[in-house]
């Protein structure tokens, strides 16, 4: 399957770079990786968040068809990994859109935000308000750390400054989702499910792996890991590779200490990358041709799963890291791969004496090698914190309906383990077109998948409704 030209064109409209600060502090990476081992195991962390964790409603607006409640609570991540969150992100904020009249039961769907979805306008307008009218269903919109009121002062729009910020965001959202699920249950709402589009789909999937009960899950335009998004998808061109390569070259802690903490790819990341690339050599990189990128900067690395399954390649609308105004917002206001990999150099796993001791100015000599190792390290750390195979399997996978775009250039599916392999029994629905067109024109399909998953829950667990 090819990639959407609209996805490629849209990516070119966004000029800002991701991860301009680099990988993040090594000590922060170590702390979040250690904590990932806890939240990746549902049994180990089922009592981390108390059922009576304090949640506060501080404002209510009355509308013709619904009530909109603004709520707040302190992120539990601040208790378990103190200081890892920016000061602005410690307080979690949400909006709760409740219909004035329930059609049946009191169903609530939690929506996590995709990239660039600051505050609540997009989700409220495109999903929550229509769901009130169509199905009498309530929606709870949680604001991501690093977004909206929770955005650090030194962050440019949606561009996360460090790679580690993405992992901190994920850890926070897993725990914050547990807070809200407990709170909704205690308030008598049922059934309760989770959804998200693009990055929100990844985050909602991670959150559900941690919940100890059957729950509807509808991840849209996301897949099994974020590693392919930043190494083979169109968004990889927005990554500030020069800074990442420089930091990787001069700081041996990344290879000598952090690699040892990775469980999914771990210390064998380079070896697995070599094996994957060896079997991929000689293919034509259609995505690279579309982007007109030099081959030196497009080295991609694949990965095999620890379960032994061959990983599948494919594209999150990690949108919003763009120019003065996100092009997607402009479009919304107007109207509310086949990927091949270059062969890596024979001396792929270089020693720090070959790379690390070179100063930034002289590192140009080994740029292809350094770029290859940086991509491989990126894949390893991304898989560690975002790969669904590194987390518990949801309690009932038959309640999962995945909606994916066939020509998604943001979230490559080739080269990564499929969700059907990780979550046997889940349903995957494919849409024609790419990431951007699906986001703009298929919101009704996402909503229908939500209704279907909730109906499935009611039929299978009538005693829990």
């Amino acid at each position: 399957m090819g990639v959407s030209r609209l996805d490629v064109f849209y990516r070119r409209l966004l000029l800002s770079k991701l991860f301009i600060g680099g990988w993040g502090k090594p000590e922060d990476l170590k702390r979040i990786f250690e904590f990932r081992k806890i939240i990746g195991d549902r049994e180990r962390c089922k009592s981390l968040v108390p059922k009576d964790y304090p949640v506060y409603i501080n404002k209510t607006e009355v509308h013709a068809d619904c009530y909109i409640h603004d709520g707040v609570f302190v992120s539990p991540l601040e208790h378990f990994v103190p200081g890892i969150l920016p000061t602005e992100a410690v307080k979690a904020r949400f909006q709760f859109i409740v219909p004035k009249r329930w059609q049946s039961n009191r169903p609530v769907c939690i929506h996590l935000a995709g990239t660039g979805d600051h505050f609540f306008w997009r989700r409220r307008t495109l999903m929550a308000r229509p769901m009130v009218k169509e199905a009498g269903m309530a929606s709870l919109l949680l604001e991501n750390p690093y977004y909206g009121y929770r955005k650090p002062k030194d962050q440019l729009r949606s561009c996360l400054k460090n790679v580690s910020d993405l992992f901190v965001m994920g850890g926070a959202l897993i725990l914050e989702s547990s807070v809200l699920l407990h709170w909704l249950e205690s308030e008598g709402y049922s059934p309760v499910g989770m959804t998200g589009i693009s990055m929100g789909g990844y985050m909602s999937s991670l959150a559900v792996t941690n919940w100890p009960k059957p729950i509807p899950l509808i991840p849209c335009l996301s897949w099994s890991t974020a590693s392919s998004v930043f190494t083979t998808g169109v968004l990889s061109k927005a990554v500030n590779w020069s800074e990442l390569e420089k930091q990787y070259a001069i700081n041996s802690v990344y290879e000598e200490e952090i690699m040892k903490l990775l469980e999914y790819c771990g210390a064998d990341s380079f070896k697995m990358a070599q094996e994957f690339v060896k079997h991929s050599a000689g293919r034509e990189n259609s995505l690279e041709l579309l982007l007109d990128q030099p081959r030196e900067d497009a080295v991609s690395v694949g990965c095999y799963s620890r379960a032994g399954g061959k990983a599948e390649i494919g594209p999150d609308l990690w949108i919003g890291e763009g120019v003065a105004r996100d092009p997607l917002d402009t479009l919304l206001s107007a109207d509310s791969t086949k990927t091949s990999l270059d062969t890596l150099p024979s001396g792929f796993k270089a020693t720090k004496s070959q790379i690390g001791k070179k100063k930034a100015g002289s590192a140009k000599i080994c740029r292809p090698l350094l770029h290859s190792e940086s991509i491989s390290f990126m894949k390893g750390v991304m898989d560690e914190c975002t790969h669904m195979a590194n987390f518990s399997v949801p309690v009932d996978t038959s309640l999962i309906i995945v909606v994916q775009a066939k020509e998604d250039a943001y979230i490559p599916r080739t080269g990564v383990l499929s969700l059907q392999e990780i979550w046997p029994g889940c349903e995957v629905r494919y849409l024609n077109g790419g990431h951007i067109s699906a986001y703009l024109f298929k919101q009704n399909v996402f909503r229908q998948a939500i209704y279907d998953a909730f109906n499935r829950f009611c039929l299978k667990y009538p005693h829990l409704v």
Side-chain angles (χ1 to χ4, degrees):
M1 182 63 66
V3 296
S4 165
R5 291 182 179 273
L6 177 59
D7 287 358
V8 176
F9 174 74
Y10 179 83
R11 174 57 251 168
R12 284 175 170 170
L13 296 178
L14 304 177
L15 306 179
S16 302
K17 285 287 188 180
L18 290 170
F19 312 135
I20 60 174
W23 300 102
K25 297 177 182 178
E27 56 268 28
D28 285 349
L29 284 169
K30 291 179 185 178
R31 294 171 73 201
I32 202 68
F33 289 166
E34 289 293 346
F35 189 63
R36 205 286 310 156
K37 295 175 183 178
I38 298 174
I39 59 175
D41 185 341
R42 188 165 53 238
E43 288 302 310
R44 290 182 64 185
C45 62
K46 59 185 178 182
S47 59
L48 283 183
V49 177
K51 293 182 179 180
D52 58 350
Y53 194 93
V55 175
Y56 306 98
I57 299 295
N58 52 22
K59 179 184 175 184
T60 298
E61 295 180 3
V62 181
H63 294 259
D65 57 345
C66 67
Y67 301 98
I68 299 182
H69 307 284
D70 287 347
V72 66
F73 60 93
V74 174
S75 176
L77 187 64
E78 180 65 14
H79 303 307
F80 296 108
V81 194
I84 198 77
L85 279 167
T87 304
E88 300 89 341
V90 170
K91 186 180 292 186
R93 302 171 186 269
F94 65 90
Q95 268 193 358
F96 189 25
I97 294 91
V98 181
K100 282 189 171 180
R101 297 182 196 66
W102 298 93
Q103 292 185 8
S104 62
N105 309 314
R106 297 212 298 167
V108 180
C109 190
I110 298 176
H111 302 248
L112 298 188
T115 304
D117 192 352
H118 294 263
F119 305 104
F120 308 106
W121 180 85
R122 283 190 194 174
R123 286 171 289 166
R124 187 177 64 238
T125 304
L126 299 177
M127 295 292 283
R129 295 297 291 270
M131 287 170 64
V132 168
K133 296 176 181 178
E134 294 170 356
M137 183 179 291
S139 294
L140 193 151
L141 318 177
L142 175 62
E143 188 170 60
N144 287 6
Y146 301 93
Y147 280 7
Y149 291 112
R150 309 180 72 183
K151 184 173 78 70
K153 291 181 176 61
D154 62 347
Q155 178 180 302
L156 177 64
R157 294 183 286 277
S158 306
C159 300
L160 297 183
K161 188 175 179 181
N162 305 305
V163 173
S164 61
D165 294 346
L166 183 68
F167 309 146
V168 173
M169 179 192 290
L173 287 174
I174 289 173
L175 296 177
E176 291 166 16
S177 296
S178 291
V179 169
L180 293 172
L181 288 168
H182 282 307
W183 179 71
L184 289 169
E185 278 194 346
S186 68
E187 293 293 315
Y189 296 100
S190 181
V192 178
M194 295 198 66
T195 190
I197 301 174
S198 190
M199 184 177 71
Y202 277 109
M203 297 303 181
S204 62
S205 297
L206 292 175
V208 165
T209 65
N210 209 249
W211 187 244
K213 302 175 184 178
I215 180 174
L217 168 65
I218 310 89
C220 304
L221 306 183
S222 68
W223 201 232
S224 57
T225 178
S227 63
S228 58
V229 174
F230 296 102
T231 57
T232 63
V234 292
L235 203 57
S236 65
K237 308 306 175 184
V239 173
N240 187 6
W241 288 110
S242 59
E243 179 64 25
L244 294 176
E245 290 164 13
K246 182 175 71 174
Q247 291 185 11
Y248 183 84
I250 64 178
N251 195 340
S252 62
V253 69
Y254 294 113
E255 182 177 359
E256 295 175 3
E257 297 182 34
I258 292 178
M259 286 294 284
K260 297 176 183 178
L261 300 176
L262 308 186
E263 291 187 341
Y264 186 79
C265 285
D268 293 326
S269 177
F270 294 99
K271 183 171 63 178
M272 288 186 288
Q274 282 182 306
E275 183 69 13
F276 182 84
V277 171
K278 182 176 70 175
H279 287 89
S280 304
R283 300 182 199 160
E284 176 179 317
N285 192 332
S286 59
L287 177 59
E288 181 184 288
L289 293 175
L290 281 171
L291 291 169
D292 297 322
Q293 292 286 39
R295 296 195 67 81
E296 178 185 331
D297 291 334
V299 181
S300 316
V301 181
C303 181
Y304 284 175
S305 78
R306 63 181 177 190
K310 192 181 281 187
E312 185 193 0
I313 278 184
D316 186 42
L317 180 60
W318 305 63
I319 49 182
E321 69 281 27
V323 289
R325 184 174 182 184
D326 187 343
L328 186 66
D329 277 334
T330 305
L331 291 169
L332 289 175
S333 12
D335 183 3
S336 293
T337 123
K338 182 165 66 171
T339 302
S340 76
L341 309 174
D342 291 345
T343 305
L344 297 182
S346 56
F348 180 62
K349 191 172 187 338
T351 64
K352 287 298 175 184
S353 61
Q354 293 172 292
I355 296 179
K357 293 182 181 178
K358 293 182 178 291
K359 298 202 180 277
S362 62
K364 193 173 182 180
I365 300 173
C366 57
R367 171 70 191 280
L369 176 60
L370 181 56
H371 186 64
S372 300
E373 289 211 9
S374 298
I375 287 181
S376 187
F377 185 71
M378 172 73 85
K379 185 159 187 61
V381 296
M382 283 287 170
D383 277 339
E384 171 67 19
C385 286
T386 71
H387 205 298
M388 299 307 156
N390 230 6
F391 293 79
S392 299
V393 175
V395 173
D396 188 346
T397 56
S398 71
L399 302 177
I400 301 173
I401 300 179
V402 182
V403 184
Q404 181 56 266
K406 290 181 180 178
E407 299 176 5
D408 197 328
Y410 280 83
I411 306 177
R413 295 186 299 278
T414 306
V416 299
L417 201 62
S418 73
L419 281 176
Q420 296 101 316
E421 292 177 273
I422 301 171
W423 297 338
C426 73
E427 177 185 351
V428 180
R429 300 178 181 180
Y430 290 97
L431 303 174
N432 291 325
H435 203 97
I436 302 299
S437 61
Y439 188 92
L440 291 174
F441 307 118
K442 300 297 182 180
Q443 298 279 335
N444 62 319
V445 177
F446 303 152
R447 295 196 300 272
Q448 187 58 54
I450 292 172
Y451 305 151
D452 292 345
F454 272 72
N455 289 334
R456 194 174 294 175
F457 178 92
C458 293
L459 290 173
K460 193 167 184 179
Y461 300 99
H463 59 289
L464 296 179
V465 177

